Amino acid sequence: MEEKIVKTSHFAACIDNRDYKVSLEVGKLYRVIPDEEAASHGYIRVVDESGEDYGYTAARFFPLEIPQALADALRIAGG
């Protein structure tokens, strides 16, 4: 049985936390909140270390394709 892959718009790994060392951890997986307006300006909205969602430059993140079961588990774990 082949696992279904989720589009990258739901999770991304932080690859640059310069100037945001308290809010972002390099290498950590963050839940992405879809925001077309932010994306049109080169930003990505993620739930950061504060537990709130904020917009950051998209270049700080690497979007990921993950199995559906992992996406579901991360959503449950994240509340």
Side-chain angles (χ1 to χ4, degrees):
M1 180 187 301
E2 191 174 318
E3 266 190 88
K4 184 177 177 184
I5 302 295
V6 178
K7 287 289 183 192
T8 59
S9 61
H10 299 291
F11 294 92
C14 177
I15 56 173
D16 177 5
N17 69 347
R18 271 179 291 150
D19 301 322
Y20 296 97
K21 296 200 185 295
V22 173
S23 303
L24 300 171
E25 293 181 32
V26 171
K28 184 170 180 178
L29 190 64
Y30 288 91
R31 184 166 52 105
V32 175
I33 306 299
D35 185 332
E36 290 182 27
E37 185 173 349
S40 73
H41 297 284
Y43 284 81
I44 186 172
R45 185 168 294 281
V46 301
V47 178
D48 68 11
E49 297 304 308
S50 72
E52 300 292 326
D53 62 284
Y54 290 97
Y56 295 96
T57 56
R60 292 183 181 280
F61 295 89
F62 188 89
L64 299 170
E65 291 185 11
I66 60 175
Q68 183 64 49
L70 177 56
D72 293 343
L74 290 170
R75 282 191 194 95
I76 291 167

